[in-house]
């Protein structure tokens, strides 16, 4: 319900948009109406920016109903009358409008002229409407399935079996679905609310008790890190207090740089971090934020270096001012002649070289470089840390002491990784090219490659790029002994080259001839050589991730967005293997049951898996795995399913959209009849639109299955939203990072 002020604002907005559409004749034609409704984004020149009907079916139906006098154009008064009924009208008014949309052969308009009219919807009209709904929702189903959906809805609504749905029958059918009339109201309000009048999302308040609970290790690390810098700076500055303020600042920054330039490498020791994840230190140290801290420390190094250099420049300028000074300013800054430094006076020239290398590395480390197809620029400039360490040893008299332990660990890890990864090339035994340009690789598993669910590895394929190593989650379970699965989505230069190399290596379309290609790849493994294209690869890993905590959780909520399902695919398969291991069968009566005894390292009592995809075809990536999981859960009815699936398709029109009500009703009816979803083939019903995270987490909290931990892999934007909701419900939140 709108207030008087909101109603006046809405009236002004609609009038302004009408004038933009209608032009000088102040009437909207059908083509102008279609153009307005097909606008993709809200801009100043975009009338009705929230009305998105890419197909012309609904635009034509709405135009015909808005045109009350049948003149072929819509006046401002006709538009206001129709929209006023949609917004302020009672549920019956909205239902009459919906019936008119479906009644394709109905004549005239609606509203005041409805009285005395009669109409009906036959099966062919209903099929046309549902087909248009499917097109707008990016749902692709065969004609046979569309016929089944039409008949399921039609037979359910046609109570008297006379071959037509009347208004009363449609009303009675809608009442069987809770919340339909409320959805009609919400839908109208959402379409027609001015952009500046829409409620803003509330951001979670920082520094709440939930925030401290989720970020305690993070905040403690920052506090210790800042405290060490203050202490080191103060001690170094005090030790040189007799040499002037510039020297004190330079020495203080230099001592902090000794710590940062040596410790920064520890944050990227992936093998050491993976080992730490298996110890009690994982509960204390912020291991999941190692990359963020590495980036933060890099920024601190740049800042301290600039201050350190500036302080020395000012000091050199002061020293060169007196006429009796034996050295000029440029000699103090660029040469070894003044003898500054502990190795043949090399402090000044090495300092200049260090600053230039550091600025080059910093400039080439931005996301704009790494994600714009120039990863090799980031890679090669980042290797300058090796000459930088040499220059730092020559530059500072005490740096080698700080570097001794971190440097030893670093070179041991690098040597181990080089030996292990380059020990032998691995064969790619099978390749499947999946929808949305996803490459599914099956790599022969090395004998000593031991990993845990959710781990990732670095992949190198010399024929794609000899020196590039890229991280990918392992999507197969550790219990799978023969092969390692990787699902790689084409989102950058390297991944696109990978996909294209396999696509062009076989003239047969791999998406349509997947089984034939798989059979040829398997047979090729019986021969001494590997498949001819991209046949050899190298892997470095495995490395641990935050998802290792899942089996130590009580109630785990796994959220994957798109290809972000990959780490969870490994975990879900591992759960399936463990459940099958607990399966027992009586040899006499063949009765089957499961042991209630859980694994020592698995405390899980409940798992909710939420998968969000943009389109229908993306569900094909792991639908076979999810089908097995559902079958495995079918017999667990004592306390509800241990694993609960939730599928969302964002391109589908939501249930609060008037255009999608019929389709969603039909999908619900057919799913109940066939006990499977028409979109994915799973028993779990695919929900249209995006999840209402507040309702999702409220349901999770109400189950009371133990402490809830949320694990997410997907876009950073969605991670921020989920993190805010987790803080409101006091859930622990973990995000997958590379």
């Amino acid at each position: 319900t709108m207030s008087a002020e909101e109603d006046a604002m809405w009236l002004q907005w609609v009038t302004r948009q009408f004038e933009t559409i209608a032009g000088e004749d102040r009437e909207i034609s059908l083509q102008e109406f279609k153009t307005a409704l097909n606008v993709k984004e809200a801009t100043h020149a975009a009338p009705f920016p929230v009305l998105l009907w890419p197909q012309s079916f609904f635009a034509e139906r709405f135009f015909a109903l808005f045109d009350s006098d049948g003149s072929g154009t819509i006046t401002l008064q006709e538009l206001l009358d129709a929209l006023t009924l949609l917004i302020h009208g009672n549920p019956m008014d909205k239902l009459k409008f919906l019936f008119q949309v479906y009644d394709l052969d109905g004549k005239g308009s609606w509203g005041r002229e409805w009285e005395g009219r009669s109409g009906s919807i036959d099966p062919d009209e209903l099929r046309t409407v549902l087909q248009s709904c499917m097109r707008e929702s990016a749902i692709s189903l065969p004609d046979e399935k569309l016929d089944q959906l039409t008949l399921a809805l039609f037979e359910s609504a046609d109570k008297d079996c006379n071959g037509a749905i009347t208004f009363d029958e449609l009303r009675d059918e809608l009442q069987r679905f809770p919340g339909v009339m409320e959805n009609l109201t919400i839908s109208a309000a959402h379409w027609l609310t001015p952009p500046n009048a829409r409620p803003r999302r509330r951001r979670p308040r920082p520094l709440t008790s939930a925030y401290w609970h989720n970020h305690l290790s993070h905040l403690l690390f920052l506090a210790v890190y800042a405290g060490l810098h203050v202490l080191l700076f103060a001690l170094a500055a005090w030790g040189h207090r007799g040499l002037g303020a510039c020297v004190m600042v330079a020495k203080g920054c230099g001592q902090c740089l000794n710590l940062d330039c040596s410790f920064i490498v520890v944050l990227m020791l992936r093998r050491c971090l993976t080992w730490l994840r298996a110890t009690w230190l994982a509960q204390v140290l912020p291991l999941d934020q190692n990359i963020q801290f590495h980036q933060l420390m890099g920024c601190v190094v740049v800042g301290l270096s600039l201050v350190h250099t500036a302080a020395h420049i000012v000091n050199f300028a002061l020293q060169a001012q007196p006429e009796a000074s034996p050295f000029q300013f440029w000699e103090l800054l660029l040469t070894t002649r003044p003898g500054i430094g502990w190795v043949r006076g090399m402090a000044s020239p090495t300092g200049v070289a260090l600053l230039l290398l550091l600025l080059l590395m910093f400039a080439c480390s931005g996301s704009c470089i790494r994600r714009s197809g120039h990863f090799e620029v980031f890679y090669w400039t980042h290797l300058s840390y090796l000459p930088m360490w040499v220059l730092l040893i020559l530059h500072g008299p005490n740096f080698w002491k700080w570097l001794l332990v971190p440097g030893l660990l670093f070179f041991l890890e690098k040597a181990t990784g080089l030996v292990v990864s380059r020990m032998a090339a691995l064969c790619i035994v099978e390749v499947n090219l999946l929808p949305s340009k996803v490459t599914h690789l099956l790599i022969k598993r090395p004998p000593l490659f031991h990993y845990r669910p959710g781990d990732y590895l670095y992949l190198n394929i010399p024929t794609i790029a000899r020196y590039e190593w890229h991280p990918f989650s392992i999507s197969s379970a550790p219990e799978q002994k023969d092969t390692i699965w990787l699902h790689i989505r084409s989102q950058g230069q390297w991944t696109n080259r990978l996909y294209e190399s396999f696509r062009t290596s076989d003239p047969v379309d791999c998406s349509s001839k997947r089984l034939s290609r798989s059979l040829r790849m398997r047979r090729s493994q019986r021969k001494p050589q590997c498949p001819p294209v991209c046949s050899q690869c190298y892997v470095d890993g495995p490395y641990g991730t935050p998802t290792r905590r899942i089996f130590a959780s009580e109630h785990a909520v796994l959220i994957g967005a798109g290809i972000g399902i990959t780490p969870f695919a490994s975990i879900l398969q591992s759960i399936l293997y463990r459940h099958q291991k607990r399966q027992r069968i009586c040899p006499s009566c063949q009765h089957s049951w499961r042991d209630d005894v859980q694994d020592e390292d698995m405390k899980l009592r409940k798992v909710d898996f939420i998968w969000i995809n943009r389109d229908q075809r993306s569900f094909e990536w792991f639908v076979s795995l999810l089908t097995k999981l559902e079958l495995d859960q079918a017999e667990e009815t004592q306390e509800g399913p241990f694993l609960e699936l939730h599928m969302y398709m964002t391109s589908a029109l939501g249930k609060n959209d008037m255009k999608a009500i019929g389709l969603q009703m039909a999908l619900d009816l057919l799913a109940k009849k066939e006990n499977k979803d028409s979109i994915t083939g799973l028993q779990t019903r695919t929900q249209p639109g995006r999840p209402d995270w507040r309702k999702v987490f409220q349901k999770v909290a109400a189950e009371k299955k133990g402490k809830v931990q949320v694990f997410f892999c997907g876009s950073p934007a969605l991670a921020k939203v989920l993190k805010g909701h987790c803080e409101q419900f006091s859930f622990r939140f973990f995000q997958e990072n590379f």
Side-chain angles (χ1 to χ4, degrees):
T1 304
M2 291 187 182
S3 65
E5 182 180 354
E6 291 173 336
D7 189 70
M9 183 185 303
W10 170 80
L11 182 62
Q12 292 177 0
W13 183 73
V14 171
T15 303
R16 185 168 61 251
Q17 304 311 316
F18 175 86
E19 293 173 352
T20 304
I21 302 171
E24 296 180 357
D25 59 358
R26 299 188 63 80
E27 291 185 349
I28 300 177
S29 65
L30 175 59
Q31 187 57 45
E32 290 171 335
F33 194 70
K34 288 183 178 181
T35 302
L37 300 184
N38 280 322
V39 174
K40 297 296 183 182
E41 296 180 353
T43 62
H44 293 293
F48 298 107
V50 293
L51 297 178
L52 303 179
W53 294 305
Q55 303 295 330
S56 62
F57 172 82
F58 284 103
E60 292 175 357
R61 293 300 301 150
F62 274 63
F63 183 86
L65 296 174
F66 283 14
D67 181 17
S68 59
D69 59 3
S71 62
T73 59
I74 300 175
T75 64
L76 175 60
Q77 190 59 47
E78 288 176 329
L79 180 64
L80 291 176
D81 289 343
L83 296 183
T84 300
L85 281 172
L86 276 176
I87 293 180
H88 299 292
N90 56 43
M92 196 60 62
D93 291 329
K94 301 180 181 68
L95 185 56
K96 291 174 182 177
F97 179 82
L98 180 64
F99 185 86
Q100 284 290 78
V101 172
Y102 280 45
D103 185 12
L104 303 185
D105 58 2
K107 304 298 182 181
S109 63
W110 69 299
R112 290 187 295 268
E113 297 182 9
W114 171 271
E115 301 298 336
R117 293 189 65 258
S118 63
S120 62
I121 304 170
D122 61 41
D124 293 312
E125 290 176 324
L126 185 60
R127 188 183 189 278
T128 300
V129 175
L130 295 185
Q131 187 176 37
S132 300
C133 292
M134 286 171 50
R135 288 174 180 171
E136 295 200 15
S137 294
I139 297 176
S140 177
L141 297 176
D143 291 340
E144 295 81 5
K145 182 63 68 175
L146 176 59
D147 293 340
Q148 293 174 8
L149 288 170
T150 304
L151 291 176
L153 180 57
F154 191 87
E155 291 175 354
S156 179
D158 184 18
K159 304 299 183 183
D160 56 6
C161 300
N162 67 343
I165 300 174
T166 64
F167 172 77
D168 293 334
E169 289 175 330
L170 179 64
R171 179 196 60 207
D172 295 340
E173 183 66 18
L174 287 174
Q175 289 176 350
R176 295 178 57 230
F177 292 84
V180 167
M181 300 315 297
E182 290 80 359
N183 287 337
L184 284 173
T185 302
I186 295 171
S187 178
H190 175 70
W191 294 347
L192 306 170
T193 303
N196 58 358
R198 294 172 199 154
R200 296 181 180 179
R201 292 182 178 177
R202 292 184 178 180
R203 294 184 178 180
R205 291 181 299 172
L207 303 181
T208 61
S209 58
Y211 181 89
W212 281 98
H213 178 69
N214 280 320
H215 299 84
L216 184 59
S217 60
H218 188 168
L219 296 173
L220 287 177
F221 182 86
L222 286 176
V224 172
Y225 178 69
L228 278 175
H229 277 65
V230 172
L231 179 62
L232 291 174
F233 186 94
L235 291 175
W238 183 257
H240 297 82
R241 60 188 181 277
L243 300 178
C246 292
V247 176
M248 292 174 64
V249 172
K251 293 297 183 181
C253 292
Q255 191 74 319
C256 294
L257 286 168
N258 284 334
L259 170 66
D260 290 333
C261 292
S262 57
F263 186 76
I264 193 172
V265 69
V266 176
L267 298 172
M268 301 308 294
L269 299 180
R270 296 183 179 88
R271 279 186 169 80
C272 293
L273 295 177
T274 300
W275 175 79
L276 286 174
R277 289 183 186 277
T279 68
W280 63 271
L281 290 173
Q283 305 296 326
V284 180
L285 300 176
L287 302 179
D288 302 337
Q289 286 80 33
N290 65 307
I291 295 179
Q292 288 91 330
F293 282 124
H294 177 81
Q295 295 170 342
L296 171 64
M297 198 169 289
C299 295
V300 172
V301 167
V302 172
L304 289 174
S305 299
L306 292 173
V307 176
H308 176 78
T309 304
H312 273 309
I313 289 175
V314 173
N315 184 52
F316 289 161
L318 294 175
Q319 290 185 24
Q321 281 183 357
E323 297 181 359
S325 174
F327 305 108
Q328 297 184 19
F329 171 75
W330 67 270
E331 291 178 309
L332 292 169
L333 183 63
L334 301 174
T335 69
T336 61
R337 185 166 173 260
I340 303 172
W342 74 300
V343 180
R344 297 185 178 181
M346 296 188 64
S348 293
T350 55
V352 174
L354 281 168
L355 184 62
L356 294 176
L357 281 175
L358 179 63
L359 293 177
L360 176 64
M361 180 189 294
F362 183 76
C364 297
S365 298
S367 58
C368 58
I369 298 293
R370 291 182 285 111
R371 302 184 186 278
S372 61
H374 300 89
F375 179 83
E376 65 280 359
V377 175
F378 162 79
Y379 178 80
W380 288 111
T381 55
H382 233 62
L383 287 180
S384 60
Y385 64 81
L386 294 174
M388 284 184 68
W389 277 346
V390 175
L391 292 173
L392 282 168
I393 292 173
L394 298 176
H395 180 76
N398 296 315
F399 178 73
W400 68 272
K401 301 175 185 177
W402 291 85
L403 184 64
L404 190 60
V405 174
L408 181 61
L409 290 174
F410 176 79
F411 283 110
L412 284 176
E413 172 154 320
K414 284 296 182 182
T416 303
L418 186 62
V419 171
V420 171
S421 62
R422 292 294 185 179
M423 186 177 296
L426 304 178
C427 255
I428 300 175
V429 299
E430 186 176 340
V431 179
N432 294 317
L433 301 186
L434 304 179
S436 301
K437 298 188 71 176
V438 173
T439 307
H440 178 201
L441 299 181
L442 281 76
I443 303 172
K444 186 174 179 60
R445 182 172 176 176
L448 301 178
F449 192 87
H450 304 294
Y451 66 97
R452 297 180 63 181
D455 285 359
Y456 71 100
L457 55 76
Y458 277 80
L459 177 67
N460 170 259
I461 301 180
T463 54
I464 301 296
R466 182 177 298 274
Y467 300 106
E468 290 190 23
W469 293 78
H470 294 271
F472 300 104
S473 296
I474 303 173
S475 52
S476 54
E479 291 82 358
Q480 188 172 323
K481 302 298 183 182
D482 299 331
T483 57
I484 303 170
W485 289 11
L486 300 178
H487 285 76
I488 303 172
R489 187 169 188 174
S490 300
Q491 288 184 320
Q493 190 177 40
W494 189 92
T495 52
N496 279 318
R497 290 207 306 266
L498 174 70
Y499 183 90
E500 292 299 325
S501 66
F502 284 111
R503 189 177 67 85
T504 57
S505 65
D506 193 344
V508 180
D509 183 7
C510 298
S511 60
S512 60
K513 300 290 185 179
R514 181 173 59 85
L515 294 180
S516 300
R517 179 184 179 87
S518 178
L519 179 62
R520 291 197 302 272
M521 295 287 285
R522 289 182 184 275
R523 289 176 175 174
S524 67
Q525 290 307 115
R526 302 171 187 169
K527 303 177 183 179
Q529 72 276 11
C530 293
V533 179
C534 295
S535 57
Q536 290 186 348
C537 67
Y538 298 91
V539 298
D540 179 22
Y543 298 112
T545 66
T547 53
R548 282 196 171 189
R549 302 171 184 255
I550 288 176
F551 289 97
S553 307
E554 293 178 334
H555 189 169
V557 180
L558 317 181
I559 304 175
I563 200 63
I565 188 183
T566 48
F568 303 133
S570 173
I571 293 164
L572 294 175
Q573 288 181 86
S574 184
I575 291 174
L576 177 62
Y577 279 115
R578 295 185 190 204
H579 276 225
Q580 291 174 346
K581 188 177 180 180
R582 292 162 50 199
Q583 186 81 21
R584 299 290 183 267
I585 301 178
C586 177
S588 302
C589 63
Q590 300 300 313
H591 173 69
S592 63
W593 73 94
R594 282 195 180 88
D595 291 337
D596 293 332
V597 180
Q598 293 182 324
D599 299 342
E600 293 181 359
D601 60 341
M602 185 169 120
K603 301 178 181 179
L604 281 170
R605 297 167 57 188
K606 176 69 186 296
V607 176
D608 282 283
F609 173 64
I610 302 172
W611 190 14
I612 309 165
N613 268 318
R614 167 63 187 168
D615 51 52
Q616 178 184 356
R617 297 192 67 194
S618 298
F619 288 104
E620 298 176 15
W621 300 337
F622 295 99
V623 70
S624 59
L625 166 63
L626 299 178
T627 301
K628 292 178 182 177
L629 291 170
E630 283 190 331
L631 293 175
D632 188 67
Q633 295 288 302
E635 300 178 0
E636 297 196 5
T637 58
Q638 298 178 354
E639 298 181 359
F642 169 76
L643 172 64
E644 192 170 347
L645 305 180
H646 310 268
M647 321 296 286
Y648 291 89
M649 181 175 167
T650 59
S651 67
L653 298 176
K655 291 184 178 181
N656 64 336
D657 194 314
M658 187 179 291
K659 304 183 298 298
I661 288 176
L663 177 61
Q664 294 303 326
M665 289 169 56
L667 289 170
D668 284 340
L669 289 168
L670 193 60
K672 292 178 181 178
K673 181 179 179 180
E674 298 182 345
N675 196 27
K676 67 176 182 180
D677 183 64
S678 299
I679 296 176
T680 62
L682 300 171
Q683 295 178 6
T684 302
R685 173 77 164 86
T686 302
Q687 300 299 321
R690 303 180 185 276
D692 185 336
W693 293 113
R694 184 168 184 82
K695 291 183 179 179
V696 169
F697 288 159
Q698 282 178 341
K699 179 178 178 297
V700 169
E703 292 178 352
K704 297 182 179 179
K705 294 290 186 178
K707 293 182 178 179
V708 179
Q709 295 186 334
V710 178
F711 300 85
F712 171 70
C713 185
S715 68
L718 181 54
K720 292 181 180 179
V721 175
L722 293 174
K723 195 173 183 180
H725 283 286
C726 287
E727 290 173 5
Q728 293 177 5
F729 285 87
S730 298
F731 296 164
R732 293 293 304 274
F733 178 77
F734 302 96
Q735 181 182 359
E736 182 86 9
N737 289 307
F738 285 135

